[in-house]
Amino acid sequence: MSNNTLWAGRYEQAAAESLRRLNDSLPFDRRLYASDIACSAAYARALVGAGVLTADEADAITAGLDQVRAEFERGEFRPAPGDEDIHTAVERRLGEIIGPVAGKLHTGRSRNDQVAADLRHWQAAAIDRIVALVYALQRALIEQAKGHIETLMPGYTHVRAAQPVTAAHWLMSTFWMLARDATRWTATRDATLTSPLGSGALAGTPYAIDRQALAAEMGFVRVSPNSLDAVADRDFVAGFLYVASLMMVHLSRFAEDVILFSSPQYGFILLDERFTTGSSLMPQKQNPDVLELARGKAGRVAGHLAGLLNTLKGLPTGYNKDLQEDKEPLFDSADTLETLLPALIGVVETLRFDPDRMRAALDEGMLATDLADHLVARGVPFREAHGLVGRVVRRALESNVPLSALPLDEYRRISPVFGDDVRAVFDFAASVAKRNNFGGTAPDAVRGQIALAETWLNERLNAPNPS
Ligand code: ARG
């Protein structure tokens, strides 16, 4: 192998094949090509401002970079043996196209500030794509919720039927988790848009490049205040992986609900055939693979977060090659979200509820709290009412009858405060309708909640880019 590495001047021997296989990042960082080329083109213009390049030289570099980009886009880019990473590869190819002037591009620049800039640039665009998918999922949740504002279902704690809720309320609970995720994505996007360009290898640059203008040209919103920090700062990647992990936790929890609710045992939800899979053996099966993968991939993304934090924790100041380990977890997490979310959106858009099955799953035990409230309305302290209703529940169990079928005198024996109208409590819709304070499950409250959610979403869909 020829010794055509970037550091060939100092070296007599070519790198060992085994080193190359370990060290080279081009196989995975080539997807940074567009960001790398955009940063380089902007940097060339900054070098004109600094008096390092003439305008003609910068034009030649820009035209050459355009050609390299076109080669990547057409799938025609051919890596050469010495192409260690995307930065090396682009510069090598640029030299082949425009000649020695290509060698001026790296003046005052290091791959250390370059890779940090490229990755930030790539990540900001990835966040934009992911946030658009999050909004689409939120829209699908709202649309489903609008159709089920009055649809009753059991609400659960400890996977035990607890109190009746509306299906819309259950759907919207995930909407708000995603709203917090979207807010975190926006904050991470902003943190990502700090430009390290001009930091050099670690100490800054002696050239009078206008860092602010360079940053603005790349869509960055600020410049890093410390070159030593800037070249090794991967907080933005950790931030991405944290936000991705927490969002995956939310998606996984939602998926778990839908897996349960669409199981034959519950039968609350029917999944569209296009979003389920069959079994190779058991002809009757319809499996919720999309949801199981949402649940499973949450572990994968959380693993990437744990992995990166461990990579970072022992690093001494400045760039260290360990930092090359930032890319695969980032790329894989972004790919995971961009593959998962469209399928999940499809699941939500096409699922159908079975309101009869949901209603059939309601039992009067879920109105025990309402029974206690009946006593509270008649002046009994809640703690006491709770105990009295507990005895009613036990009595009904002993007599093997539903609460509403227990004779009135049995109620009265437990407490004379139970009124003639106690049976009016056994109305699931009425129970739900009473919980109409802000944030509650009552149809009126949920209508307000959905209106709030639509405002929240529309503000963001109509907003100009947050940067
Ligand atoms: N491929 C490297 C990375 O991803 C680029 C930076 C290399 N810098 C260096 N000093 N070797 O981190």
Side-chain angles (χ1 to χ4, degrees), residues 87-122:
H87 328 292
T88 327
V90 170
E91 197 181 320
R92 187 262 311 155
R93 183 69 190 124
L94 180 66
E96 289 169 3
I97 297 168
I98 67 169
V101 68
K104 293 194 176 187
L105 178 59
H106 214 55
T107 311
R109 184 171 76 161
S110 159
R111 280 183 299 157
N112 298 352
D113 56 349
Q114 194 179 356
V115 69
D118 291 2
L119 199 59
R120 287 173 180 274
H121 187 260
W122 185 92

Side-chain angles (χ1 to χ4, degrees), residues 94-95 107 114 146 151 179 186-187 207 240 256 288 321 345 353 377 417 428 436:
L94 180 66
T107 311
Q114 194 179 356
K146 279 179 174 171
T151 306
T186 306
Y207 299 97
F240 181 108
E256 173 63 11
K321 194 58 171 260
I345 291 164
F353 286 93
V417 184
F428 297 111
N436 67 349

Side-chain angles (χ1 to χ4, degrees), residues 259-268 286 357:
I259 290 167
L260 285 177
F261 294 163
S262 63
S263 68
Q265 287 75 8
Y266 283 77
F268 297 172
Q286 267 209 329
R357 286 289 299 263

Side-chain angles (χ1 to χ4, degrees), residues 44 47-48 51-60 101 104:
L47 286 177
V48 175
V52 176
L53 292 181
T54 66
D56 284 351
E57 287 172 329
D59 286 347
V101 68
K104 293 194 176 187

Side-chain angles (χ1 to χ4, degrees), residues 203-284:
T205 177
Y207 299 97
I209 62 172
D210 183 341
R211 291 194 64 208
Q212 286 287 358
L214 174 55
E217 202 175 331
M218 292 305 305
F220 289 112
V221 297
R222 69 187 76 77
V223 298
S224 55
N226 181 306
S227 60
L228 206 45
D229 173 36
V231 290
D233 173 9
R234 295 297 183 273
D235 295 5
F236 66 101
V237 183
F240 181 108
L241 295 178
Y242 168 68
V243 176
S245 296
L246 190 52
M247 186 168 89
M248 286 298 295
V249 167
H250 296 148
L251 297 178
S252 177
R253 294 187 60 194
F254 174 69
E256 173 63 11
D257 272 7
V258 180
I259 290 167
L260 285 177
F261 294 163
S262 63
S263 68
Q265 287 75 8
Y266 283 77
F268 297 172
I269 288 176
L270 302 162
L271 297 176
D272 190 283
E273 268 189 17
R274 288 165 294 169
F275 295 99
T276 58
T277 57
S279 157
S280 57
L281 178 69
M282 300 163 284
Q284 85 281 12

Side-chain angles (χ1 to χ4, degrees), residues 7 23-26 28-29 32 84-88 110-116 201 234 319-327:
W7 51 85
N23 196 46
D24 288 2
S25 54
L26 187 62
F28 53 85
D29 70 13
L32 292 176
E84 182 185 326
D85 53 25
I86 185 62
H87 328 292
T88 327
S110 159
R111 280 183 299 157
N112 298 352
D113 56 349
Q114 194 179 356
V115 69
R234 295 297 183 273
Y319 178 84
N320 297 271
K321 194 58 171 260
D322 317 44
L323 292 172
Q324 186 166 281
E325 292 294 311
D326 58 359
K327 287 170 208 61

Side-chain angles (χ1 to χ4, degrees), residues 29 41 50 125 169 192 236 272 297 317 335 369 372:
D29 70 13
H169 199 51
T192 300
F236 66 101
D272 190 283
K297 286 175 188 293
T317 301
D335 291 345
T369 320

